[in-house]
Amino acid sequence: MLITCPYCGPRDVIEFTYQGDGNRERPDPASQNFEAWNAYVYDRLNPAGDHNEIWQHSGGCRTHLRVVRNTVTHEISSTGFARGDHNAAARHKAGGKS
């Protein structure tokens, strides 16, 4: 599987580390809501199809990426920077600048 890093270009998946589900939202750090923290830490969805994920280019530039990957076929439809403009992934796929 190849993942396209916005800085380094297409690289083998072995250079990357999976960081988790890109759709999860962390509860307020000051929150003492046990149910919210329990759900954040332990509850996971197992979707079939396109899934928003966070990966780190740990064997390269160390950038965190937002990757849309099909969990059935492992086809990657877009990549972009994890922080900042969330539309950067769509522009990168289209060949525009991020």
Side-chain angles (χ1 to χ4, degrees), residues 22-45:
N23 297 318
R24 295 179 46 215
E25 290 190 33
R26 183 178 182 172
D28 179 1
S31 170
Q32 295 183 12
N33 181 337
F34 177 77
E35 290 80 18
W37 279 105
N38 189 59
Y40 176 74
V41 172
Y42 296 108
D43 293 350
R44 300 286 189 271
L45 297 175

Side-chain angles (χ1 to χ4, degrees), residues 4 19-20 29 33 35 40-41 47 49 51 57 60 74 77 82:
T4 301
Q19 299 288 305
N33 181 337
E35 290 80 18
Y40 176 74
V41 172
H51 189 243
H57 193 184
H74 297 293
S77 58

Side-chain angles (χ1 to χ4, degrees), residues 1-17 55-63 65 67 69 74 76 79 92:
M1 184 167 76
L2 292 177
I3 297 177
T4 301
C5 173
Y7 287 128
C8 306
R11 297 289 193 259
D12 191 84
V13 70
I14 200 163
E15 291 188 18
F16 295 85
T17 304
W55 289 75
Q56 182 184 21
H57 193 184
S58 54
C61 64
R62 306 200 51 84
T63 298
L65 306 173
V67 175
R69 179 181 67 92
H74 297 293
I76 295 176
T79 61
H92 185 265

